[in-house]
């Protein structure tokens, strides 16, 4: 179900590194956080040294008075550590979350720019999990993982240096016994990457299933197939659990090793250090401080467990995020694209061919059609003949794969998309409404439209029913418009296209859900509106054909005939498509 | 710049969970949910707890052994006796091995329990969503449902992944170390433990503040998800109407809302955590002062003070970690709370688990609407006093202007909703008495929106009929005229239809929906504008298929193209929720001034 195969170098930090442009504006804050963290750790590292001083100094000499400055030093260090943590957390709560937000907004913007063809392929759940869960993972890495990786590394080095200075033989032993950590990290790192990518992809799949179960709820309910959906979801959830358990086992093994190593070092220190003290080459105080310092490296080593997993998870999450940023914007403004301030609306298809990406058979072949300003052309054809595909090319939902489409003589790919889409408005065969107010749905294509224009459009589309809604134009429409009847949805979608005041109006089977009398009324008003613009209609019914000046017959992706309805009537294939023969409609009369 | 609210419009009812008073550590229903999830794992949990307990004992022994090494091993070495120190070093190694092994057992074991609980919770919530009525879903929205099942569950997963071991580990090590401290030196031990008093107050404060903050986080995230899914689902309209900029703005506001909310919980932790560190450091300083004095006074040995300070680390370091765990716990609790809220929601259209049995001899398909009243919104009835009786085997065409309530009648018959008053029955059995599987053996419906699932053509056709054979699937496809298209594809019936049918044309999707219903073979078949996107020849084919499929079956057909009516035995004309005409098509046509006659006339004219 996952579209993109994990890259070969999954889990390398390349993608994560690429996200640095989002981090760069906050590099000062990041450095500040790093400094605070490092200083806090240093403060807490110094406290055992105070202990050494206390044991070797005041206690040995029985000097009560000298105890007080030591106490104050420990107190000061303690306050400093807490203060530094506060400072870091306050900065973190702003900077890291801002970075996360910016990546999230960037992803959303990018996703909206990506062509319809991308969205035909990519499941919403996959995209969603990248925008939510994966970004959370990256944020956590930036806020903790990255910082503590550095801090722990520094702490390890500092403590080891101190140990070597305190008593070189013991220091060297400590370094040697902790070095295997590096090999462990290498060994487990690769598995972490593989499993975390798997987990993230499976999370996306599960989100996809959820989305589908929610969107298809009506079908599920009308066949009582909840159990099937449950089973699908369950098996996907179990696959996810399988990977999660792999992760758990991996973590258990790795963490087990990590807790072992510092304790072995401790045993070596006691043995070697104890003997050294007995032989007088080390003071007791130094040995105590030594063991205390060893406890201090215990934490960086154990921390490595979660830092490494965090880093690997963030790396694969960044891979997934970058896959979206890297998806080609196939439909975009060409360099030098121009804005068209106004359009007369002469639309011409010149040898247009189209093949869906990833398929071999062309859906459209050598389509030639010119629609003059003010003219209306109806496209007629059998189910699957390519009508919807043809009309969706006019606003560049897809780009032609052969030939070109021109608006007022200019290739539409040489126009700024924004300006092209301002001139061409569409009504889709399945009306797309959003869960927002009726007004916002209507002015989608032209937010500056005034109330009179909305009124006019509603009138035209016979959508007076909005007046009966509880809050009139301000009523929120349910998700996908499902709180409206099918015909109501369709009329709103039609009104929306009219509000946009386009030069070219493209209607894909816009009246299919209307009853005969409403349809007649809408057709009447459409007949008034259409002459003021260029019209391209996809039509299944003879009545709607009457709106068109000319009709073009599409057969398996090729335009086989164009002309007026009456001219085409003689063609048997045309008559068959529209069923004008009335051969089946005779029982009642 | 308008606010989020104004573009959003006003909704009739929004199902926002209203936070009840927060009593105790967790709200009752959340606690109940947790209990029921944990119960089956009690033994595993005990095993895991034992492992971590022993692991901690082993870990706690190490500093103690270090102390002994200093106090006993060193003097022995001075005497030339190396045995004690070697024995102590070996004991440390043994403890270390034991500790690592047990810790590994613990991490694996607790992780497994966590994942099992998560799976159980996931499935439970999903199953519950399936049971909840459409009315609920219409208000709850897809996006919120997704948010519950993804990001809320994720917050719980995080607690299991990061937190659980820290907590158990830390609590045990705190208790263990606490006891050791008291044993080592009672007065000094008491000084250490006195740090718990400010800790208690700090924790109470944090608990109160953070649970509110995390609840906000969940809600804010759900808002982000709602906007995200909806705008991507409608991406064609977003592109065609250049909605990107406005959507960016709206999304920006929502994601800023999430950021601010998160920022608040971050800041709270940013006080709580250093607060604990501070308490720990102050205690250490106090120990240093007081312990120093006691050693000088000869009341304590140097080695004891050394192990004291070592132990103190083991005491407060885990406490700081607990604060982090507590943070992820609060996040998870907010997620739990939302999920518990969903699980608490009673299904609006409850299906009995063991419903009435089908009539002897199987379903015949008599349909009765008895004095039904129904409306989607309070105070606005779409149907009232609605009576309709369809004898078994009759094919009824339901006509009427858009918005008249035709789909509503169909939905009541498929039990998407329950009537507010009156009842709907099949073969005199009220729909409310039927179990889900039985209900759908009796009724199936092709909805106005022909939804196709991601997957293959065959899977989609077989959706309503578990266990249908390939030949049955192909027969159903052939009946509606989908066969030539399916066979023209490379993979035939096993071709992938793409994301929710994106690789199909609208007509092809509708044919799949029809084939699905034909194959399901219910006693009562409802077709709600099931052929509106078909071309005329296709529709004719579907018509003739219907004529065969419907023989001996009850059918309710809603269509605007009157060609459908030809196979109907009876025509009903609905206007504003009332039946205004009822009779066989021929008869109604004879009433020249009737609704049907004029509809028919208009339709004939529309054919040109
Ligand atoms: N995203 C896609 N990928 C691959 N094939 C596609 C895709 N979308 C559509 N097709 C195929 O292209 C053909 C033309 O589809 P189109 O939607 O243009 O048909 P149509 O003429 O509008 O049909 P209808 O009258 O049913 O709406 C169909 O056979 C369809 O299966
Ligand atoms: N889920 C819903 N929530 C609120 N109101 C609804 C809902 N579904 C339908 N309505 C309203 O109930 C009324 C009847 O709708 P219904 O879908 O039954 O009409 P219909 O006769 O099927 O129309 P059409 O032919 O356009 O499909 C309409 O005014 C509609 O706005
Ligand atoms: Mg189409």
């Amino acid at each position: 179900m996952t579209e993109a195969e994990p890259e070969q170098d999954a889990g390398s930090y390349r993608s994560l590194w690429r996200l640095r442009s989002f981090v760069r504006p906050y590099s000062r804050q990041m450095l500040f956080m790093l400094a605070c963290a490092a200083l806090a750790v240093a403060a807490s590292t110094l406290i055992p040294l105070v202990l050494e001083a206390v044991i070797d100094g005041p206690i040995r000499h029985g000097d009560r008075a000298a105890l007080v400055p030591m106490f104050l030093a420990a107190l000061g260090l303690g306050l400093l550590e807490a203060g530094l943590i506060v400072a870091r957390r306050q900065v973190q709560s702003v900077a890291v979350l801002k970075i996360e937000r910016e990546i999230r907004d960037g992803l959303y913007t990018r996703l909206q720019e990506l062509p319809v063809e991308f969205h035909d392929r990519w499941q919403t759940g996959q995209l969603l999990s990248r925008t939510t869960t994966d970004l959370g993972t990256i944020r956590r890495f930036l806020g903790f993982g990255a910082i503590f990786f550095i801090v722990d590394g520094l702490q390890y080095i500092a403590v080891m240096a101190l140990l070597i200075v305190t008593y070189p033989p013991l220091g060297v032993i400590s370094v040697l016994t902790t070095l295997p950590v590096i090999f462990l990290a290498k060994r487990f790192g690769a598995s972490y990457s593989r499993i975390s990518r798997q987990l993230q992809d499976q999370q996306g799949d599960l989100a996809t299933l959820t989305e589908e179960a929610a969107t298809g709820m009506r079908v599920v309910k009308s066949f009582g197939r909840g159990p099937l959906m449950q089973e699908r979801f369950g098996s996907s959830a179990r696959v996810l659990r399988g990977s999660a358990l792999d992760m758990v086992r991996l973590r258990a093994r790795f963490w087990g090793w990590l807790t072992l190593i510092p304790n072995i070092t401790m045993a070596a220190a006691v043995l070697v250090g104890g003997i050294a003290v007995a032989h007088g080459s080390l003071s007791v105080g130094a040995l105590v401080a030594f063991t205390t310092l060893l406890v201090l490296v215990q934490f960086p080593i154990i921390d490595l467990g979660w830092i490494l997993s965090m880093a690997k998870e963030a790396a694969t999450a960044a891979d997934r995020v970058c896959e979206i940023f890297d998806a080609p914007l196939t439909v975009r403004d060409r360099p030098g694209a121009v804005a068209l301030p106004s359009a007369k609306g002469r639309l011409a298809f010149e040898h247009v061919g189209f093949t869906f990406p990833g398929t071999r058979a062309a859906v459209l072949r050598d389509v030639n059609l010119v629609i003059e300003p003010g003219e209306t052309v109806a496209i007629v054809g059998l189910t699957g003949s390519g009508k919807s595909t043809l009309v969706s090319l006019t606003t560049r939902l897809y780009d032609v794969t052969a030939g070109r489409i021109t608006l007022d003589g200019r290739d539409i790919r040489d126009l700024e998309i924004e300006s092209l889409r301002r001139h061409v408005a569409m009504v889709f065969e399945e009306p797309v409404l959003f869960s927002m107010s009726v007004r916002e749905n209507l002015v989608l294509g032209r937010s500056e439209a005034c109330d009179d224009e909305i009124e006019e459009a509603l009138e035209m589309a016979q959508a007076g029913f909005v007046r009966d809604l509880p809050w009139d134009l301000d009523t929120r429409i349910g998700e996908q418009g499902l709180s409206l009847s099918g015909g109501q949805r369709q009329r709103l979608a039609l009104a929306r296209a009219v509000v946009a005041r386009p030069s070219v109006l493209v209607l894909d089977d816009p009246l299919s859900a209307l009853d005969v009398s409403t349809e007649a009324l809408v057709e009447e008003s459409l007949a008034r509106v259409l002459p003021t613009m260029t019209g391209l209609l996809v039509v299944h019914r003879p009545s709607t054909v009457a709106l068109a000046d000319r009709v073009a017959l599409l057969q398996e992706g090729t335009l086989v005939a164009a002309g007026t309805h009456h001219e085409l009537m003689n063609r048997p294939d045309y008559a068959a498509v529209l069923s004008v023969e009335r051969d089946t409609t005779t029982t009642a009369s | 710049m308008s606010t989020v609210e104004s573009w959003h419009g006003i909704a009739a009812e929004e199902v926002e969970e209203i936070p009840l008073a927060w009593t105790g550590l967790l709200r009752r229903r959340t606690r109940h949910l947790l209990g029921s999830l944990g119960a089956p794992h009690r033994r595993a949990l005990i095993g895991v707890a034992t492992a971590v307990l022993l692991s901690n004992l082993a870990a706690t022994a190490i500093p103690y052994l270090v102390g002994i090494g200093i106090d006993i091993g060193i003097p022995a070495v001075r005497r030339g006796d190396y045995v004690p120190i070697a024995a102590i070093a070996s004991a440390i190694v043994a403890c270390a091995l034991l500790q690592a092994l047990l810790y590994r057992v613990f991490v694996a074991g607790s992780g497994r329990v966590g994942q099992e609980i998560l799976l159980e919770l996931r499935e439970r919530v999903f199953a519950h969503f399936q049971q909840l009525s459409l009315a609920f879903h219409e208000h709850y929205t897809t996006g919120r449902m997704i948010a519950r099942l993804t990001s809320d569950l994720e917050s719980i997963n995080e607690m299991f992944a990061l937190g659980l071991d820290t907590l158990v580990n830390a609590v045990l090590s705190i208790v263990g170390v606490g006891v050791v401290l008291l044993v080592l030196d009672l007065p000094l031990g008491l000084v250490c433990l006195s740090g718990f008093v400010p800790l208690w107050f700090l924790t109470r404060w944090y608990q109160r503040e953070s649970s509110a903050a995390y609840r906000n986080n969940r809600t804010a995230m759900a808002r982000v998800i709602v906007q995200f899914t909806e705008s991507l689902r409608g991406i064609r309209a977003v592109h065609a109407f250049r909605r990107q900029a406005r959507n960016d703005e709206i999304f920006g506001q929502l994601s800023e809302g999430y950021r601010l909310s998160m920022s608040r919980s971050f800041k709270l932790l940013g006080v709580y955590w250093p607060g604990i560190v501070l308490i720990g450091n102050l205690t250490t300083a106090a120990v240093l002062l007081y312990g120093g004095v006691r050693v000088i006074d000869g009341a304590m040995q140097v080695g004891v003070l050394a192990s004291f300070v070592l132990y103190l680390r083991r005491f407060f370091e885990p406490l700081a970690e607990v604060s982090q765990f507590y943070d992820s716990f609060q996040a998870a609790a907010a997620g739990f709370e939302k999920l518990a809220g969903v699980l608490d929601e009673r299904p609006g259209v409850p299906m009995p688990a063991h419903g009435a049995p089908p009539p002897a001899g199987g379903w015949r398909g008599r349909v009765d609407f008895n004095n039904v009243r129904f409306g989607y919104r309070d105070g606005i009835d779409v149907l009232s006093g609605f009576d309709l009786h369809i004898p078994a085997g009759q094919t009824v065409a339901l006509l009427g202007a858009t918005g008249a309530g035709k789909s509503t009648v169909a939905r009541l018959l498929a039990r998407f909703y329950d009537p507010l008053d009156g009842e709907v029955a099949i073969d005199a059995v009220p729909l409310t008495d039927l179990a889900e599987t039985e209900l759908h053996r009796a009724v199936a419906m092709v909805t106005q929106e022909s939804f196709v699932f991601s997957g293959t053509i065959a899977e989609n056709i077989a959706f309503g009929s578990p266990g249908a054979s390939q030949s049955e699937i192909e027969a159903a496809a052939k009946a509606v005229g989908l066969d030539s298209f399916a066979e023209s594809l490379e993979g035939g019936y096993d071709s992938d239809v793409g994301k929710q049918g994106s690789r199909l044309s609208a007509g092809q999707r509708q044919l799949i929906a029809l084939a699905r219903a034909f194959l399901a073979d219910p006693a009562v078949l409802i077709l709600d504008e099931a052929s509106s996107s078909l071309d005329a020849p296709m529709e004719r084919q579907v018509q003739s298929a219907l004529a065969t499929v419907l023989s001996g079956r009850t059918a309710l057909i809603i269509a605007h193209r009157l060609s459908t009516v030809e196979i109907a035995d009876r025509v009903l004309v609905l206007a504003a929720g009332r039946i205004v005409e009822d009779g066989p098509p021929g008869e109604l046509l004879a009433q020249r001034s009737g609704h049907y006659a004029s509809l028919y006339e208009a339709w004939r004219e529309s054919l040109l």
Side-chain angles (χ1 to χ4, degrees), chain A residues 482-483 485-488, chain B residues 138 376 382 402-408 411 417 448 529 560:
Chain A
L482 286 179
S483 59
S485 84
Q488 290 170 339
Chain B
E138 272 162 16
Y376 296 94
V382 176
T402 89
K406 304 181 294 296
S407 303
T408 307
R411 286 177 201 146
Y417 305 89
Q448 218 163 348
E529 292 183 39
H560 290 308

mmCIF file of all heavy atoms in Angstrom, chain A residues 482-483 485-488, chain B residues 138 376 382 402-408 411 417 448 529 560, ligand 2:
data_model
loop_
_atom_site.group_PDB
_atom_site.id
_atom_site.type_symbol
_atom_site.label_atom_id
_atom_site.label_comp_id
_atom_site.label_asym_id
_atom_site.label_seq_id
_atom_site.Cartn_x
_atom_site.Cartn_y
_atom_site.Cartn_z
ATOM 1 N N LEU A 482 -22.214 16.146 2.995
ATOM 2 C CA LEU A 482 -23.155 15.037 3.137
ATOM 3 C C LEU A 482 -24.390 15.382 3.964
ATOM 4 O O LEU A 482 -25.277 14.560 4.089
ATOM 5 C CB LEU A 482 -22.453 13.806 3.707
ATOM 6 C CG LEU A 482 -21.551 13.115 2.678
ATOM 7 C CD1 LEU A 482 -20.854 11.920 3.272
ATOM 8 C CD2 LEU A 482 -22.351 12.696 1.453
ATOM 9 N N SER A 483 -24.455 16.588 4.492
ATOM 10 C CA SER A 483 -25.697 16.940 5.175
ATOM 11 C C SER A 483 -26.695 17.545 4.200
ATOM 12 O O SER A 483 -27.743 18.011 4.591
ATOM 13 C CB SER A 483 -25.416 17.898 6.329
ATOM 14 O OG SER A 483 -24.803 19.056 5.827
ATOM 15 N N SER A 485 -28.803 17.025 0.333
ATOM 16 C CA SER A 485 -29.193 15.961 -0.593
ATOM 17 C C SER A 485 -28.300 16.039 -1.830
ATOM 18 O O SER A 485 -27.637 17.054 -2.078
ATOM 19 C CB SER A 485 -30.660 16.093 -0.971
ATOM 20 O OG SER A 485 -30.802 17.009 -2.026
ATOM 21 N N GLY A 486 -28.271 14.966 -2.590
ATOM 22 C CA GLY A 486 -27.390 14.901 -3.759
ATOM 23 C C GLY A 486 -27.616 16.058 -4.714
ATOM 24 O O GLY A 486 -26.678 16.694 -5.198
ATOM 25 N N GLY A 487 -28.859 16.355 -4.972
ATOM 26 C CA GLY A 487 -29.181 17.432 -5.893
ATOM 27 C C GLY A 487 -28.777 18.792 -5.328
ATOM 28 O O GLY A 487 -28.338 19.684 -6.058
ATOM 29 N N GLN A 488 -28.919 18.931 -4.029
ATOM 30 C CA GLN A 488 -28.522 20.194 -3.396
ATOM 31 C C GLN A 488 -27.015 20.408 -3.519
ATOM 32 O O GLN A 488 -26.554 21.508 -3.823
ATOM 33 C CB GLN A 488 -28.955 20.186 -1.923
ATOM 34 C CG GLN A 488 -30.475 20.267 -1.761
ATOM 35 C CD GLN A 488 -30.934 20.010 -0.327
ATOM 36 O OE1 GLN A 488 -30.231 19.415 0.476
ATOM 37 N NE2 GLN A 488 -32.152 20.454 -0.029
ATOM 38 N N GLU B 138 -21.464 11.964 11.181
ATOM 39 C CA GLU B 138 -21.628 13.218 10.453
ATOM 40 C C GLU B 138 -21.153 14.394 11.292
ATOM 41 O O GLU B 138 -20.598 15.346 10.777
ATOM 42 C CB GLU B 138 -23.091 13.419 10.064
ATOM 43 C CG GLU B 138 -23.404 12.777 8.734
ATOM 44 C CD GLU B 138 -24.880 12.583 8.518
ATOM 45 O OE1 GLU B 138 -25.692 13.202 9.244
ATOM 46 O OE2 GLU B 138 -25.221 11.786 7.637
ATOM 47 N N TYR B 376 -33.299 15.402 10.416
ATOM 48 C CA TYR B 376 -31.887 15.367 10.759
ATOM 49 C C TYR B 376 -31.572 16.381 11.837
ATOM 50 O O TYR B 376 -30.697 16.201 12.646
ATOM 51 C CB TYR B 376 -31.030 15.673 9.525
ATOM 52 C CG TYR B 376 -31.174 14.642 8.436
ATOM 53 C CD1 TYR B 376 -32.094 14.821 7.410
ATOM 54 C CD2 TYR B 376 -30.410 13.494 8.443
ATOM 55 C CE1 TYR B 376 -32.228 13.890 6.405
ATOM 56 C CE2 TYR B 376 -30.531 12.550 7.453
ATOM 57 C CZ TYR B 376 -31.442 12.754 6.429
ATOM 58 O OH TYR B 376 -31.574 11.819 5.453
ATOM 59 N N VAL B 382 -38.129 16.043 8.164
ATOM 60 C CA VAL B 382 -38.107 15.773 6.729
ATOM 61 C C VAL B 382 -39.300 14.892 6.365
ATOM 62 O O VAL B 382 -39.961 15.083 5.358
ATOM 63 C CB VAL B 382 -36.773 15.104 6.335
ATOM 64 C CG1 VAL B 382 -36.782 14.739 4.860
ATOM 65 C CG2 VAL B 382 -35.600 16.029 6.640
ATOM 66 N N THR B 402 -35.717 17.339 -6.008
ATOM 67 C CA THR B 402 -34.544 17.133 -5.157
ATOM 68 C C THR B 402 -34.827 17.743 -3.796
ATOM 69 O O THR B 402 -35.493 18.760 -3.683
ATOM 70 C CB THR B 402 -33.256 17.772 -5.723
ATOM 71 O OG1 THR B 402 -33.177 19.101 -5.245
ATOM 72 C CG2 THR B 402 -33.227 17.770 -7.219
ATOM 73 N N GLY B 403 -34.330 17.067 -2.786
ATOM 74 C CA GLY B 403 -34.553 17.519 -1.422
ATOM 75 C C GLY B 403 -35.913 17.136 -0.871
ATOM 76 O O GLY B 403 -36.262 17.517 0.248
ATOM 77 N N ALA B 404 -36.690 16.339 -1.620
ATOM 78 C CA ALA B 404 -38.027 15.982 -1.158
ATOM 79 C C ALA B 404 -37.961 14.964 -0.025
ATOM 80 O O ALA B 404 -38.918 14.809 0.728
ATOM 81 C CB ALA B 404 -38.844 15.415 -2.323
ATOM 82 N N GLY B 405 -36.882 14.257 0.082
ATOM 83 C CA GLY B 405 -36.763 13.269 1.164
ATOM 84 C C GLY B 405 -36.676 11.842 0.661
ATOM 85 O O GLY B 405 -36.831 10.895 1.443
ATOM 86 N N LYS B 406 -36.402 11.665 -0.619
ATOM 87 C CA LYS B 406 -36.336 10.310 -1.181
ATOM 88 C C LYS B 406 -35.191 9.509 -0.548
ATOM 89 O O LYS B 406 -35.400 8.390 -0.082
ATOM 90 C CB LYS B 406 -36.114 10.383 -2.708
ATOM 91 C CG LYS B 406 -37.156 11.205 -3.439
ATOM 92 C CD LYS B 406 -36.926 11.231 -4.915
ATOM 93 C CE LYS B 406 -35.636 11.952 -5.323
ATOM 94 N NZ LYS B 406 -35.608 13.388 -4.996
ATOM 95 N N SER B 407 -34.017 10.102 -0.557
ATOM 96 C CA SER B 407 -32.877 9.384 0.030
ATOM 97 C C SER B 407 -33.138 9.116 1.506
ATOM 98 O O SER B 407 -32.686 8.108 2.048
ATOM 99 C CB SER B 407 -31.602 10.202 -0.118
ATOM 100 O OG SER B 407 -31.372 10.488 -1.460
ATOM 101 N N THR B 408 -33.840 10.025 2.140
ATOM 102 C CA THR B 408 -34.125 9.845 3.559
ATOM 103 C C THR B 408 -34.962 8.585 3.775
ATOM 104 O O THR B 408 -34.693 7.790 4.678
ATOM 105 C CB THR B 408 -34.852 11.085 4.096
ATOM 106 O OG1 THR B 408 -34.069 12.222 3.758
ATOM 107 C CG2 THR B 408 -35.037 11.015 5.576
ATOM 108 N N ARG B 411 -32.689 5.684 3.397
ATOM 109 C CA ARG B 411 -31.759 5.500 4.509
ATOM 110 C C ARG B 411 -32.453 4.915 5.733
ATOM 111 O O ARG B 411 -31.860 4.155 6.490
ATOM 112 C CB ARG B 411 -31.134 6.845 4.894
ATOM 113 C CG ARG B 411 -30.111 7.309 3.890
ATOM 114 C CD ARG B 411 -29.588 8.672 4.280
ATOM 115 N NE ARG B 411 -29.012 9.321 3.119
ATOM 116 C CZ ARG B 411 -29.063 10.623 2.895
ATOM 117 N NH1 ARG B 411 -29.677 11.419 3.756
ATOM 118 N NH2 ARG B 411 -28.516 11.128 1.823
ATOM 119 N N TYR B 417 -30.449 5.432 9.922
ATOM 120 C CA TYR B 417 -30.982 6.210 11.032
ATOM 121 C C TYR B 417 -32.211 5.489 11.555
ATOM 122 O O TYR B 417 -32.786 4.654 10.853
ATOM 123 C CB TYR B 417 -31.414 7.611 10.566
ATOM 124 C CG TYR B 417 -30.337 8.393 9.872
ATOM 125 C CD1 TYR B 417 -30.150 8.298 8.500
ATOM 126 C CD2 TYR B 417 -29.509 9.255 10.589
ATOM 127 C CE1 TYR B 417 -29.156 9.020 7.859
ATOM 128 C CE2 TYR B 417 -28.517 9.977 9.958
ATOM 129 C CZ TYR B 417 -28.342 9.856 8.592
ATOM 130 O OH TYR B 417 -27.368 10.572 7.969
ATOM 131 N N GLN B 448 -26.195 7.043 -3.102
ATOM 132 C CA GLN B 448 -26.026 8.051 -4.136
ATOM 133 C C GLN B 448 -24.546 8.274 -4.450
ATOM 134 O O GLN B 448 -24.171 8.518 -5.576
ATOM 135 C CB GLN B 448 -26.629 9.348 -3.608
ATOM 136 C CG GLN B 448 -27.339 10.155 -4.634
ATOM 137 C CD GLN B 448 -28.232 11.184 -3.953
ATOM 138 O OE1 GLN B 448 -28.468 11.143 -2.745
ATOM 139 N NE2 GLN B 448 -28.748 12.110 -4.725
ATOM 140 N N GLU B 529 -30.444 6.562 -6.919
ATOM 141 C CA GLU B 529 -29.788 7.165 -8.083
ATOM 142 C C GLU B 529 -28.531 6.400 -8.455
ATOM 143 O O GLU B 529 -27.452 6.970 -8.585
ATOM 144 C CB GLU B 529 -29.466 8.625 -7.811
ATOM 145 C CG GLU B 529 -30.752 9.413 -7.710
ATOM 146 C CD GLU B 529 -30.508 10.887 -7.500
ATOM 147 O OE1 GLU B 529 -29.569 11.399 -8.122
ATOM 148 O OE2 GLU B 529 -31.257 11.504 -6.747
ATOM 149 N N HIS B 560 -34.009 9.862 -11.350
ATOM 150 C CA HIS B 560 -34.595 11.043 -11.977
ATOM 151 C C HIS B 560 -34.929 10.782 -13.424
ATOM 152 O O HIS B 560 -35.744 11.483 -14.011
ATOM 153 C CB HIS B 560 -33.642 12.226 -11.858
ATOM 154 C CG HIS B 560 -33.524 12.709 -10.455
ATOM 155 N ND1 HIS B 560 -34.618 13.005 -9.700
ATOM 156 C CD2 HIS B 560 -32.447 12.913 -9.665
ATOM 157 C CE1 HIS B 560 -34.230 13.389 -8.484
ATOM 158 N NE2 HIS B 560 -32.907 13.332 -8.451
HETATM 159 N N1 LIG C 2 -27.268 14.190 6.952
HETATM 160 C C1 LIG C 2 -28.112 15.214 6.885
HETATM 161 N N2 LIG C 2 -28.099 16.147 7.842
HETATM 162 C C2 LIG C 2 -28.964 17.194 7.788
HETATM 163 N N3 LIG C 2 -29.864 17.380 6.820
HETATM 164 C C3 LIG C 2 -29.924 16.475 5.825
HETATM 165 C C4 LIG C 2 -29.047 15.353 5.811
HETATM 166 N N4 LIG C 2 -29.313 14.628 4.708
HETATM 167 C C5 LIG C 2 -30.320 15.267 4.076
HETATM 168 N N5 LIG C 2 -30.691 16.378 4.740
HETATM 169 C C6 LIG C 2 -31.752 17.288 4.361
HETATM 170 O O1 LIG C 2 -32.961 16.552 4.311
HETATM 171 C C7 LIG C 2 -33.732 16.915 3.166
HETATM 172 C C8 LIG C 2 -34.070 15.674 2.345
HETATM 173 O O2 LIG C 2 -32.877 15.132 1.820
HETATM 174 P P1 LIG C 2 -32.835 13.836 0.900
HETATM 175 O O3 LIG C 2 -31.412 13.504 0.727
HETATM 176 O O4 LIG C 2 -33.709 12.800 1.464
HETATM 177 O O5 LIG C 2 -33.447 14.385 -0.466
HETATM 178 P P2 LIG C 2 -33.654 13.643 -1.831
HETATM 179 O O6 LIG C 2 -35.107 13.648 -2.101
HETATM 180 O O7 LIG C 2 -32.989 12.350 -1.837
HETATM 181 O O8 LIG C 2 -32.947 14.642 -2.822
HETATM 182 P P3 LIG C 2 -31.975 14.385 -4.066
HETATM 183 O O9 LIG C 2 -32.843 13.986 -5.175
HETATM 184 O O10 LIG C 2 -31.399 15.735 -4.313
HETATM 185 O O11 LIG C 2 -30.998 13.378 -3.659
HETATM 186 C C9 LIG C 2 -32.907 17.945 2.409
HETATM 187 O O12 LIG C 2 -33.402 19.219 2.673
HETATM 188 C C10 LIG C 2 -31.527 17.826 2.966
HETATM 189 O O13 LIG C 2 -30.875 19.070 3.023
#
